[in-house]
Amino acid sequence: MIQAATVGPRAYWYLTRGTGIVALILLTLSVALGVANSRRFRTEHVPRFVVDAVHRTVSLLAVAFTVIHVVTSLLDGFAPITVVDAVVPFVSAYRPLWLGFGAIAFDLLLALVITSLLRRRLGYRAWRITHWTAYACWPVALLHTVGTGSDVKFGWMLATSALCVAVVVAAVLVRAARGWPSRLGVRLAAMLAAAAVPVGLIAWLPNGPLAKGWAKQAGTPSYLLASSTTKTGGAASQAGSATAPSFTAQLNGTVREGQTADGLAVVDLSTTVSGQRLSLLHIRILGQPLGGGGVQMSSSSVTLGSTSQPDEYSGHVTALQGTNVAAQLRSPSGSVVQLVTQLQIASASGAVSGTVRVLPARA
Ligand code: HEM
C-alpha cells in the first residue's frame, strides 16, 4: 500500500508514468491473448486452457496496474486531475482530450471487470458482446498514451508503443487470416482496421505528439508549461545551470491580505519549505481586488532562500491560476530556477499548506 506520508509528489509522478507503461504492455498482451483464445481459432502448440488462464491473469494484472496508475496520478497533485476526470471523459483541466481517452479506456476496463464478475447472471451472449466492446479499450488507451504521455518523445517509449502496436496488429491479422471462414467481409474489415493503426500513427505522430509545442496544444495549463521542459524528461541535461537546485517539498505558512495606500490589494504568502536548505519562500502579489475575493495581479515579487540569506533567489510570478503559482527566480550568481506551487489556503485561519517544485531553468 502506498503511504501518502512517505512517497513525495515527484515519486507519484514517476509511478504514474511507470505503471501506465506496464498497464499498456499488459493490456496489449491481454488483447493479443484474447484474440488468440477465440473459439474459432485453435493453436496446435499450446492447449486452450493455458492460453485462457494466462489471458485471465494478464488481464487482472492490467486492471491492477491501471488502478495504481490512476490513483498515483490523483495523489501526485502536480497536474490538476480529479477523481471525476478519471471516469468522466473530456472534462479535465489537464490535457482534456487525451486524458479523456484514458478515462474511456478505464471505464471500459471497469465494465469488463464488472461484467466478468456477473458473467453467470448475464448469460454468455451478453457477456461476450461486452467483452468484445472492451477490446476498444486498447486503441483508446494507445491514443491516451501518445497524447498524454511525457515519454513519447523518447526512443524507448516509441519503441515500446510500436511493439505493442505490432503485437496487436499481428494477432488480429493472424486471427482474420485463419478465423471466421464464412465471413469474408468481417475478416477484411478487421485486417483494414489493424493496418490503419500503424499507418495512422506514422502519419500523425510527427505533426502531433512529437512536434514542438505539443504540451500546449494538448491542453496543459499555462502555469505548468513553465516547468514542462524539465518535467517531460529532459531533466537537468536541458536545464541552464548545473548548480541550480531541484527538489519537490512540502510547505506550510500563512497568508496575509491587505491594501496599499492607493487601494491595491496585497496578498503576502510567507511559507517554510520542509527539509530543504532553501527553506523560506515568500510570494507577494499586488493587484486590483476582484469581487469574488481574488486579485487581478498587476505586479509580484517572489523570494526563495535560506534563513541566513532569505532572498538568495528572487523574481516574479510568471503564471497564476487559482492557488497555483509559477515563478521564475534568479540568484546573483546567475543560477535560474522555475518554481511551481500547489497551495491549499484555509481562508478562515489564513493557514497555507501544499507543495513546491523547484527546477533548474534556462535564463
Ligand atoms: C486503461 C487505461 C489507461 C492506460 C492503459 C494508461 C496508460 C498510460 C500510459 C502508457 C501513459 C504514458 C506514460 C509515459 O509517457 O511515461 C499514460 C500517461 C498518463 N496517464 Fe494514463 N492510462 C490509462 C488511464 C488513465 C486515466 C483514467 C487517468 C486519469 C486519472 C490517467 C492519467 C495519466 C496521466 C496524468 C498521464 C501523464 C503522465 C505523463 O505526463 O507522463 N491514465 N497513461
Side-chain angles (χ1 to χ4, degrees):
M1 183 73 194
I2 296 157
Q3 293 293 316
T6 55
V7 182
R10 205 174 172 84
Y12 285 135
W13 190 249
Y14 286 123
L15 262 175
T16 299
R17 287 155 68 170
T19 49
I21 295 163
V22 177
L24 181 75
I25 294 170
L26 289 166
L27 200 61
T28 301
L29 288 177
S30 164
V31 169
L33 287 164
V35 172
N37 198 25
S38 152
R39 266 167 126 193
R40 295 180 183 83
F41 178 73
R42 299 191 188 286
T43 50
E44 293 86 29
H45 311 295
V46 189
R48 222 189 122 202
F49 73 91
V50 175
V51 181
D52 199 11
V54 178
H55 170 60
R56 206 172 308 153
T57 310
V58 167
S59 309
L60 278 176
L61 278 174
V63 172
F65 271 89
T66 306
V67 169
I68 303 174
H69 172 66
V70 171
V71 171
T72 49
S73 75
L74 297 177
L75 286 176
D76 175 63
F78 182 76
I81 301 171
T82 65
V83 179
V84 174
D85 303 334
V87 283
V88 180
F90 315 129
V91 295
S92 165
Y94 181 77
R95 304 189 175 179
L97 178 66
W98 307 103
L99 203 73
F101 285 127
I104 295 178
F106 190 47
D107 289 343
L108 287 169
L109 265 192
L110 291 180
L112 186 72
V113 172
I114 293 165
T115 51
S116 291
L117 290 174
L118 297 174
R119 186 172 168 172
R120 275 164 204 240
R121 289 195 189 184
L122 281 176
Y124 182 71
R125 211 180 135 72
W127 169 80
R128 206 174 149 73
I129 291 169
T130 348
H131 215 76
W132 271 105
T133 323
Y135 282 121
C137 181
W138 181 82
V140 180
L142 187 72
L143 274 177
H144 161 74
T145 299
V146 289
T148 330
S150 302
D151 292 320
V152 73
K153 288 199 162 89
F154 297 101
W156 61 266
M157 185 61 192
L158 274 179
T160 309
S161 308
L163 199 66
C164 290
V165 172
V167 167
V168 170
V169 169
V172 173
L173 289 182
V174 171
R175 168 70 206 277
R178 295 173 65 177
W180 298 301
S182 57
R183 300 174 74 176
L184 188 64
V186 176
R187 292 163 67 183
L188 280 177
M191 284 178 166
L192 280 177
V197 175
V199 173
L201 282 175
I202 289 167
W204 171 60
L205 281 174
N207 308 308
L210 299 184
K212 243 185 155 189
W214 175 251
K216 188 172 183 199
Q217 208 182 322
T220 308
S222 55
Y223 71 91
L224 288 181
L225 283 173
S227 59
S228 67
T229 346
T230 314
K231 180 175 76 68
T232 55
S237 61
Q238 292 191 22
S241 165
T243 54
S246 170
F247 61 84
T248 301
Q250 301 288 328
L251 49 76
N252 287 289
T254 52
V255 60
R256 269 198 340 220
E257 291 178 31
Q259 248 187 358
T260 61
D262 45 359
L264 282 182
V266 186
V267 179
D268 258 317
L269 288 147
S270 299
T271 62
T272 309
V273 182
S274 305
Q276 300 296 328
R277 185 184 68 78
L278 300 172
S279 60
L280 300 176
L281 171 64
H282 183 234
I283 301 172
R284 167 172 281 209
I285 293 166
L286 280 106
Q288 291 297 335
L290 294 173
V295 175
Q296 174 78 48
M297 184 174 76
S298 55
S299 64
S300 64
S301 68
V302 181
T303 57
L304 174 69
S306 58
T307 38
S308 58
Q309 196 186 347
D311 56 355
E312 187 173 331
Y313 282 84
S314 60
H316 299 282
V317 172
T318 49
L320 182 64
Q321 185 173 13
T323 54
N324 300 314
V325 178
Q328 179 153 315
L329 313 181
R330 175 191 288 272
S331 73
S333 65
S335 154
V336 184
V337 293
Q338 297 279 358
L339 171 153
V340 181
T341 64
Q342 273 231 318
L343 304 172
Q344 288 89 45
I345 298 176
S347 41
S349 63
V352 177
S353 60
T355 56
V356 58
R357 184 168 288 192
V358 174
L359 305 160
R362 285 203 180 94

